[in-house]
Every structure is written in structure tokens, then in C-alpha cells.
Amino acid sequence: MTNTIPDIVIARLPIYMRELCRLADEGEKTTTSSQELGKRLGISSAQIRKDLSRFGEFGKQGTGYHINYLINQLRQILHLTEEWPVVLIGAGYLGHALAHYHGFQHRGFRVVRVFDNDPVHIGKIMNGVKVQDVKELYKSVLADQIKIAILTVPTEAAQEITDILVEAGVTSILTYAPIQLKAPSFVNISYSDPVIQLQQMAYYLRPQSEQS
Amino acid sequence: MTNTIPDIVIARLPIYMRELCRLADEGEKTTTSSQELGKRLGISSAQIRKDLSRFGEFGKQGTGYHINYLINQLRQILHLTEEWPVVLIGAGYLGHALAHYHGFQHRGFRVVRVFDNDPVHIGKIMNGVKVQDVKELYKSVLADQIKIAILTVPTEAAQEITDILVEAGVTSILTYAPIQLKAPSFVNISYSDPVIQLQQMAYYLRPQSEQS
DNA sequence: TAGATTGTTAATCGATTAACAATC
DNA sequence: TAGATTGTTAATCGATTAACAATC
């Protein structure tokens, strides 16, 4: 069994990868250093070296890291060598935006199924995928062995859908519903609530009543 | 000057508030405890008490915290007693979804301006707001003294727009573009990249090639 | 009163950083 | 070679938790 890596380290790996891909796209060099990467990301070079060294020795003293090689190593570590099928539940505005998001394609994911409970949405084609009735959710996810779900359903529906997803074998859920979800501990839940993010930043703002 | 609070503590306050609002909505009690709140959020009761105690003594021994009172205290701490005007840049699918998001209304924010550079979008009405030409961005944000921006523009445009926003006085930016933004240190930037979140979770998935 | 729960201290735990020998 | 940069150790820094007196 691999020694266990802290979540916070795992959380940084995709950030490293994204910046490495940018470096590769810029195409100015084939090599980078922990210092250069750290400067671009606002992270200390020591932290980057330490994080990476948990998985292997990817660099060379004196020259640093070969960009494409490191990208590929990270891809393997993060299990992104094959495309992951993703199920999207909720075909409203946000679901629509995500179904059409081009950023998934080349970064390891594809929305292969979309569900909704509203007859207005059911049957629509979204980015080549037909919106299905949520009644078929369980059966379909199970049959396709889909492990990753994105939730863009109303708050009231989120827990109920989560239960179905978990039952059907999903173990990774990215949710946009502003509610804490309950699920077994082997299920990974990642939250995205724009209001929470704005509220965090509001703390650092001068109150409007005090503004000049 | 108030003693300085770690970012990570600030980050939890909106989470506490969201759950307290839910408790208030459920309407079963007027009071809660750090233990109950912690259990609902998967956070230790000690942490909740310690976080809150940085800002004052909001509870009572034996009975806990009065829900509505604590909500109001948190609202004040986070500067959410008045509605913050927000500018949205990028009127594509995602911008459209955010412009129509009902969750802003009662949680302290309102999208009051929308900008895009595409004639296809300019002039459209989104949730009562007319999409303006991004050429007017600087002038408009400055005139309205808007401090908070949401970015849903293509990756290539994100840095350029950020520069304009900062110049116009924006100090809080929530960005959906998958790129690290450069800005002065007094500017707060909050990132939301669904792919990064999915990639983090992919680490914990069994590789598809190994699946039964 | 007795039970419950706070606010806070001290102890523990974990993450970050500085520094440097190794070496490309 | 000399300069640069890694991987890693030890030191530092910061966050979390356990425990409990105070008290509602």
C-alpha cells in the first residue's frame, strides 16, 4: 500500500499540472524549476519540491524538471490517463453551461449523460447528449459504471439525488447546491458555492457604510 | 485595529452561517450548540467554539447559541448587512447562469452590471440587466464604485480584464477562468475551476484500467 | 440543583520553510 | 569546472483538539 498523502498535497497537484500545461503551451522552454513554477503560482519552491518528491524523483539537479515529463507523471498520479465519463444532474442554466464547457475535453473528463426531472428539459440535446428523465438515473449510472457526478439541481433535491448516485456506485461528486451533503466516508464530495466564496471575500472589504 | 484572523477561519464563517440559516429555516428550535452544528458540518465542536470566540462571546453555557442572533453577528462580521453590487464579465453560458442565479439575492449580493465583448451578446437583457460592451467596463465600474467582480471570460481574456477591474477599484474577484491571475496583494482572488476539483477527486478513484 | 455547554488553555498534531549536501 | 537546482532533513510555524473551570 502506498504511504498516505495529505489531501492538501493532492489538492495542489492539479494546480501544478495546469500551470505546467500553460508553460508547455507557451512553448518557450522544455524545462522549468520549482522556483519558476512557484513564482508563477505564488507557492514556495520548497513546497513544490516537497510535494513532488512524495511521488518520486522527477527532477534533475542543476536543470530542474522536464515540463512534458512532469505533466505525464502528474497525469498518472492523478489517474487522468484515460477520460472519465461524468454524469450531470440538473439541466438548468448552470447544467447547460457545464454540459457545454469545453474545458473538460482535454483535461480528463467528459459529460456523457445529463438528467433532469422537468419535462421542459427532458429530451433536449445538450452538446450532443440527450437529457434523460431522472427516473432513469440509477439504472443508467449503474449500467455505465459512472463514478463521477456533477450536481446542479435545486437545494431541496440535492440530498435525494446524492443518495441515488451513491447507491448506483458514484464515489466522486462535485456539487453546486448550497447545502452540506451526507454520504458514506468513501464518497468524495467537492463543493462549489459562488456565494460562499463571495462572502469570504466580503470580510476583507470595507463596509459600504464606511466608504468615502 | 482588530487582531488578525487567519484566512482559514474566515473561510469557515460563511459555512457556519449557511448551516445556521438552514437550521433557522427548519424552524424546529431557536437555539443550537457547537456540537450540533459541528455534527451537521463534519467539523469538531471545539473548532467552532474557538472560531466564534475570536469575534466575541456569542453563546451561553448550558444552552448554546441563539440561532438568529448568531446569524446576525456573522452577517456583521462578514460585512453582509448591506447588499453588495457585483459586476459580471462574460455573458456566455456560465455568465448567463450566474446572472440568473437566485442564490445571490438573499445572501448579500446582486449582479448589477454585465459586460461582454461579443456583439451577439451586447444589448441582451439578462435577469433585468442589459449586457454592455466591455469597452465601457472601466468607466462604469469606477463610476458605480463596484468592488466585487465575477469573471466568466475565456482564459485568454482573463488577465486583461483583471487589470482593468483592479484599475477601476475592484478588490474582490471570483474567477471561473482556469488560469492563475496576477494582481496586487490587496486584491482578493477566489478561484473556481470545476476541472481542478474533478482532478483532485480523480486521485482517489480506482484507475479505469484496473476496474473489474 | 444537576445537566449541559460555553470560552479558553495547554498539548498535540500537521504543514511549511530554511538550509544544505548531493549532483547534474 | 562553476553555477544551478534538486531531494531531504530539521526547525519553525500554525492549526486542531482535548480537557476543564466557569456558569447558564
Side-chain angles (χ1 to χ4, degrees):
Chain A
M1 151 124 199
T2 32
N3 66 357
T4 187
I5 312 284
D7 285 356
I8 197 159
V9 173
I10 302 302
R12 282 191 291 263
L13 300 184
I15 308 279
Y16 298 161
M17 202 170 70
R18 191 175 68 181
E19 197 64 33
L20 288 162
C21 288
R22 186 159 307 283
L23 273 162
D25 283 351
E26 289 173 6
E28 304 208 338
K29 347 163 147 185
T30 57
T31 259
T32 188
S33 65
S34 60
Q35 193 161 75
E36 180 178 42
L37 198 55
K39 202 175 155 218
R40 291 176 70 125
L41 293 173
I43 292 176
S44 81
S45 64
Q47 178 147 90
I48 292 175
R49 290 199 302 280
K50 190 149 209 287
D51 285 350
L52 295 176
S53 73
R54 287 173 177 276
F55 300 94
E57 307 197 351
F58 303 129
K60 270 216 248 303
Q61 287 102 324
T63 55
Y65 301 91
H66 186 85
I67 295 171
N68 284 323
Y69 175 74
L70 187 50
I71 289 172
N72 277 319
Q73 292 298 311
L74 288 171
R75 245 199 267 282
Q76 280 178 37
I77 292 165
L78 291 168
H79 305 143
L80 299 172
T81 51
E82 289 172 82
E83 190 177 77
W84 288 99
V86 173
V87 57
L88 173 65
I89 305 98
Y93 289 134
L94 183 55
H96 191 252
L98 287 164
H100 286 86
Y101 185 49
H102 283 107
F104 291 134
Q105 264 73 320
H106 295 293
R107 296 168 73 196
F109 305 91
R110 177 149 44 149
V111 174
V112 296
R113 295 213 176 255
V114 181
F115 293 87
D116 204 296
N117 70 348
D118 187 339
V120 168
H121 295 310
I122 295 168
K124 274 189 195 165
I125 307 290
M126 284 194 178
N127 202 18
V129 180
K130 188 184 270 185
V131 179
Q132 294 174 259
D133 192 320
V134 77
K135 282 173 190 155
E136 303 166 34
L137 178 61
Y138 173 77
K139 200 184 49 184
S140 182
V141 167
L142 193 65
D144 294 355
Q145 297 199 273
I146 298 175
K147 300 298 168 197
I148 305 179
I150 302 180
L151 235 63
T152 56
V153 299
T155 311
E156 318 80 64
Q159 184 60 58
E160 183 188 349
I161 299 294
T162 299
D163 295 343
I164 296 170
L165 290 169
V166 171
E167 195 64 31
V170 164
T171 56
S172 302
I173 300 175
L174 169 56
T175 176
Y176 290 83
I179 186 174
Q180 186 76 16
L181 297 176
K182 284 180 280 292
S185 62
F186 61 81
V187 176
N188 242 285
I189 302 182
S190 186
Y191 294 88
S192 187
D193 179 345
V195 180
I196 294 283
Q197 291 180 282
L198 293 178
Q199 289 179 337
Q200 289 166 356
M201 294 193 289
Y203 172 81
Y204 299 98
L205 287 170
R206 182 130 63 97
Q208 289 163 286
S209 48
E210 291 175 20
Q211 271 173 37
S212 55
Chain B
M1 153 126 198
T2 31
N3 67 356
T4 188
I5 313 283
D7 285 356
I8 197 160
V9 173
I10 301 302
R12 282 190 292 261
L13 300 184
I15 308 279
Y16 297 161
M17 201 169 71
R18 192 176 66 182
E19 198 62 33
L20 287 163
C21 288
R22 186 159 308 284
L23 273 163
D25 283 351
E26 289 173 6
E28 305 207 338
K29 347 163 147 185
T30 57
T31 259
T32 188
S33 66
S34 60
Q35 193 162 72
E36 180 179 43
L37 198 56
K39 201 175 156 218
R40 292 176 68 124
L41 292 172
I43 292 178
S44 81
S45 63
Q47 178 147 90
I48 292 175
R49 290 199 302 279
K50 188 148 210 287
D51 285 351
L52 295 176
S53 73
R54 287 172 177 276
F55 299 95
E57 307 195 353
F58 303 130
K60 271 216 245 305
Q61 287 101 324
T63 56
Y65 301 91
H66 186 84
I67 296 171
N68 284 323
Y69 175 74
L70 187 51
I71 290 172
N72 277 317
Q73 292 299 312
L74 287 171
R75 246 199 265 283
Q76 280 178 36
I77 292 165
L78 291 169
H79 305 143
L80 298 172
T81 51
E82 289 172 83
E83 191 177 77
W84 288 99
V86 172
V87 57
L88 173 66
I89 305 97
Y93 290 133
L94 183 55
H96 191 253
L98 287 164
H100 286 85
Y101 185 49
H102 283 107
F104 290 134
Q105 263 73 319
H106 296 293
R107 295 169 73 197
F109 305 92
R110 176 148 46 147
V111 174
V112 295
R113 294 212 177 256
V114 181
F115 291 88
D116 204 295
N117 70 347
D118 187 337
V120 169
H121 295 310
I122 296 169
K124 274 189 197 164
I125 307 290
M126 283 193 179
N127 201 18
V129 180
K130 188 184 266 184
V131 179
Q132 294 174 259
D133 191 321
V134 77
K135 282 173 189 155
E136 302 165 34
L137 178 62
Y138 172 78
K139 200 183 51 186
S140 183
V141 166
L142 193 65
D144 294 353
Q145 298 199 271
I146 297 174
K147 300 298 169 197
I148 305 178
I150 301 180
L151 235 63
T152 56
V153 300
T155 311
E156 318 80 65
Q159 185 60 56
E160 184 188 348
I161 299 294
T162 299
D163 296 343
I164 296 171
L165 289 169
V166 170
E167 195 64 30
V170 164
T171 56
S172 301
I173 300 174
L174 169 57
T175 176
Y176 291 83
I179 185 174
Q180 184 77 18
L181 297 175
K182 284 180 281 289
S185 62
F186 61 82
V187 177
N188 241 286
I189 302 181
S190 186
Y191 295 89
S192 188
D193 180 345
V195 179
I196 293 283
Q197 292 180 280
L198 293 178
Q199 289 179 337
Q200 290 166 356
M201 293 193 290
Y203 173 80
Y204 298 98
L205 288 170
R206 182 130 62 98
Q208 288 164 285
S209 49
E210 290 175 22
Q211 272 173 34
S212 55

